[in-house]
Amino acid sequence: MVGAVARRDALRAGSLFGASAMLMPTEEQFDAIRTGYDPDPSRSLSLRAEAYTDPVWFALDGREIIAKSWQWICHAEKVRAPGSYTTAEIAGNPIVVIRDPEGVLRAFYNVCKHRAHPVLSGEGKVQRIVCPYHAWRYRLDGQLAGAPLTGNLKDFATGEIRLTPVQVEEFSGFIFVNLDSSVPPLRTLSGALGDEVHHWAPDVEQLTFGHRLSYEIKSNWKNVVDNFLECYHCPGAHKDFCTLVDMKTYKVSTHGIYSSHMAEAGKTQNSAYDTSAAKVRTHAVWWVWPNTCLMRYPGRSSMIVLHIIPVSVDRTLETYDFFLETPEPDDLEKQAIHYLDTVLQAEDIALVENVQRGMGTPAFTQGRIVHDPQGSGMSEHALHHFHGLVLEAYGRGRRAV
């Protein structure tokens, strides 16, 4: 049921991106949006409020950020077997990811070359791709294999027709796609990220899906990312979390298209959930540009993927997928899921929804970045790093006009 809700909201996000695709900031807006930002976080202000409230910037987010970045799809287990597939929606574009009979991972626009109908829906396993509209048949490598009643057509050759490919990559146990064929591979762009993930989660490829949480948030997606990237708010807003991890050990570092957020587990009894029997004693978290977060909390071996999906200028869908040692969460993991769902998420959602409301008032334009040169979790330098990447994307959009 939750998966169906997530797919529905992702489809709605796609339609909204499509509806706003023609919006473009003016030259004056492009000039103004950089106001106050400085490459030095100790001198910088945050992104301006209009980046979070004006539909013109939401439209540019879709075109220049979501459609041109590596987007998380699923754990590799979902498409590990030949013929297994899953579908997704990226910035208004339907996508299918599939494993062909030779074991090659492929992705295509989920659009039939006859009348543009989706060729597959949901997820599953097939021996061939058959469009449900007019039964055009494709091999799993995207090549058209046959089409009813086309034998007498002139200048029609199945060998010249194939589904439009999309970049796809298996990275650290997960599947990512990129609609922009000119963007380098994720493993190239991400530097040492893969090594970091495998250092802290060496069994990430062997983990299996265990649970999903899903939320619709009344806030711009960038506000949700901002909140994730700093723990300056944690002592006041997340008192239980501050006992789950040792805040004195919390360090944040930024690298190219990702940031690392590391801390040791709390050394005394915490008020979040019982970790006395936990074999993983670290809080290891990575944010990957622009809207994917990988999280390894104290407990059994696991990985949580937070996917932040833009829906509209003031709506965001969040999904938390829990990948565990076993399909069924153990008692500790059930406690952790309950804490994340009923406490931590409730706290964060209230924060970002209040921020979104405040940004829509005349009282706020932008705020100061709080920077700790020592890189503590209390610093906002990872948020500043994100804002710099957003402004770089806006600059590319301006040059493309």
Side-chain angles (χ1 to χ4, degrees), residues 347-384:
E347 293 168 344
D348 275 331
I349 289 172
L351 292 171
V352 298
E353 290 186 343
N354 280 327
V355 168
Q356 186 70 27
R357 283 191 288 269
M359 284 185 168
T361 71
F364 185 83
T365 303
Q366 60 194 143
R368 190 63 185 255
I369 296 292
V370 176
H371 178 231
D372 174 8
Q374 302 302 313
S376 75
M378 296 282 287
S379 176
E380 294 182 323
H381 60 287
L383 181 151
H384 173 266

Side-chain angles (χ1 to χ4, degrees), residues 10-11 14-15 73 86-97 107-112 116-121 164 166 177 179:
L11 286 168
S15 66
I73 299 295
T86 190
T87 57
E89 191 90 11
I90 306 296
N93 296 275
I95 303 298
V96 58
V97 177
F108 309 100
Y109 283 90
N110 191 10
V111 177
C112 183
H117 194 280
V119 293
L120 289 170
S121 61
T164 302
V166 171
V177 300
L179 302 184

Side-chain angles (χ1 to χ4, degrees), residues 68-311:
K68 296 185 177 181
S69 59
W70 286 98
Q71 291 292 305
W72 182 82
I73 299 295
C74 62
H75 191 281
E77 71 166 351
K78 185 173 284 189
V79 288
R80 188 166 285 151
S84 56
Y85 75 90
T86 190
T87 57
E89 191 90 11
I90 306 296
N93 296 275
I95 303 298
V96 58
V97 177
I98 195 165
R99 185 82 61 176
D100 77 12
E102 286 69 45
V104 178
L105 185 67
R106 300 181 182 275
F108 309 100
Y109 283 90
N110 191 10
V111 177
C112 183
K113 290 300 183 177
H114 179 229
R115 290 290 181 267
H117 194 280
V119 293
L120 289 170
S121 61
E123 58 190 55
K125 191 174 182 180
V126 294
Q127 293 184 333
R128 59 182 179 176
I129 299 170
V130 181
C131 179
Y133 194 8
H134 296 102
W136 279 36
R137 303 181 307 278
Y138 300 85
R139 301 196 312 237
L140 300 193
D141 64 0
Q143 178 68 57
L144 182 66
L149 303 177
T150 56
N152 295 320
L153 297 184
K154 297 177 180 180
D155 302 320
F156 181 85
T158 58
E160 297 175 359
I161 301 172
R162 62 187 309 114
L163 299 174
T164 302
V166 171
Q167 278 207 87
V168 62
E169 184 172 343
E170 184 171 344
F171 179 81
S172 294
F174 297 102
I175 306 300
F176 291 80
V177 300
N178 196 315
L179 302 184
D180 188 342
S181 61
S182 69
V183 174
L186 179 56
R187 65 186 68 255
T188 299
L189 289 176
S190 61
L193 174 60
D195 292 337
E196 284 190 34
V197 172
H198 281 94
H199 173 77
W200 294 104
D203 60 347
V204 63
E205 284 91 351
Q206 285 72 53
L207 298 175
T208 189
F209 177 77
H211 194 74
R212 167 173 277 200
L213 299 172
S214 184
Y215 309 90
E216 186 170 331
I217 302 172
K218 298 174 184 177
S219 178
N220 185 271
W221 73 277
K222 296 186 295 295
N223 263 332
V224 179
V225 175
D226 286 352
N227 182 72
F228 180 87
L229 289 175
E230 52 86 5
C231 218
Y232 185 44
H233 69 282
C234 291
H238 300 315
K239 296 188 183 302
D240 297 312
F241 178 81
C242 290
T243 66
L244 178 64
V245 303
D246 182 356
M247 291 297 292
K248 293 180 181 178
T249 66
Y250 204 137
K251 296 292 182 183
V252 177
S253 55
T254 60
H255 318 269
I257 66 161
Y258 77 98
S259 55
S260 303
H261 306 246
M262 303 292 175
E264 297 175 11
K267 296 179 173 59
T268 59
Q269 182 70 28
N270 75 79
S271 55
Y273 61 92
D274 183 12
T275 58
S276 59
K279 66 179 183 180
V280 172
R281 302 293 302 170
T282 53
H283 170 80
V285 170
W286 300 269
W287 166 78
V288 186
W289 165 259
N291 59 334
T292 301
C293 309
L294 309 177
M295 302 182 287
R296 189 169 168 89
Y297 272 31
R300 279 200 305 177
S301 183
S302 66
M303 188 67 78
I304 308 167
V305 180
L306 165 59
H307 195 200
I308 300 167
I309 305 169
V311 174

Side-chain angles (χ1 to χ4, degrees), residues 311-326:
V311 174
S312 70
V313 69
D314 59 358
R315 292 294 186 276
T316 299
L317 173 70
E318 269 191 341
T319 57
Y320 280 79
D321 286 284
F322 294 76
F323 298 96
L324 313 171
E325 293 182 14
T326 58

